[in-house]
Amino acid sequence: MWVKNVLHDMFITLSDLPKIWCDNTSTIAMAANPVMHAKTKHVDLDIHFVREKVLGHALQVAYVPSNCQVADLFTKPLTAPVFYKFRQQLNVVSHSSLEEEKKQGEC
């Protein structure tokens, strides 16, 4: 929502609603259905904020399978193959590969 407001201040309009990608279907259901929170023992303040924005059509929450959740690179321990896959998808390179490219004159 912060980025949306900054873009609005710069007179840039978004063609689509901002979308939050989530790999937890229960969380998506809670964001979309205001009755669902009664079934949970503890609901954080942030879910109320997200639900308010979803119901007000200011935000979308969409499902992404866990094996495609690239943000896990920054938040979870991953196996080496998954780590390298996500790192490549984000176009992040290691320092040693940059040094190697410099030696070969590719940079």
Side-chain angles (χ1 to χ4, degrees):
M1 297 308 304
W2 178 83
V3 172
K4 182 180 176 181
N5 288 334
V6 169
L7 292 172
H8 181 268
D9 290 345
M10 296 176 3
F11 304 103
I12 298 172
T13 57
L14 299 174
S15 58
D16 294 324
L17 292 177
K19 191 176 292 188
I20 296 177
W21 294 96
C22 181
D23 61 356
N24 186 318
T25 55
S26 297
T27 301
I28 295 170
M30 284 179 54
N33 187 350
V35 178
M36 286 292 289
H37 73 83
K39 297 180 181 180
T40 61
K41 199 171 191 181
H42 175 73
V43 177
D44 289 331
L45 185 60
D46 53 352
I47 192 67
H48 293 290
F49 175 80
V50 172
R51 184 182 311 119
E52 176 185 305
K53 298 301 177 189
V54 168
L55 293 175
H57 303 290
L59 183 67
Q60 292 178 349
V61 180
Y63 177 73
V64 61
S66 293
N67 61 341
C68 298
Q69 185 68 285
V70 180
D72 285 352
L73 177 71
F74 302 111
T75 61
K76 296 180 181 167
L78 303 169
T79 62
V82 174
F83 175 83
Y84 292 125
K85 173 186 152 191
F86 287 167
R87 186 177 77 172
Q88 182 181 18
Q89 288 177 340
L90 290 172
N91 293 323
V92 176
V93 296
S94 67
H95 180 69
S96 60
S97 68
L98 284 176
E99 292 297 321
E100 186 66 32
E101 286 181 16
K102 283 182 184 178
K103 287 179 185 176
Q104 295 176 0
E106 295 177 6
C107 287

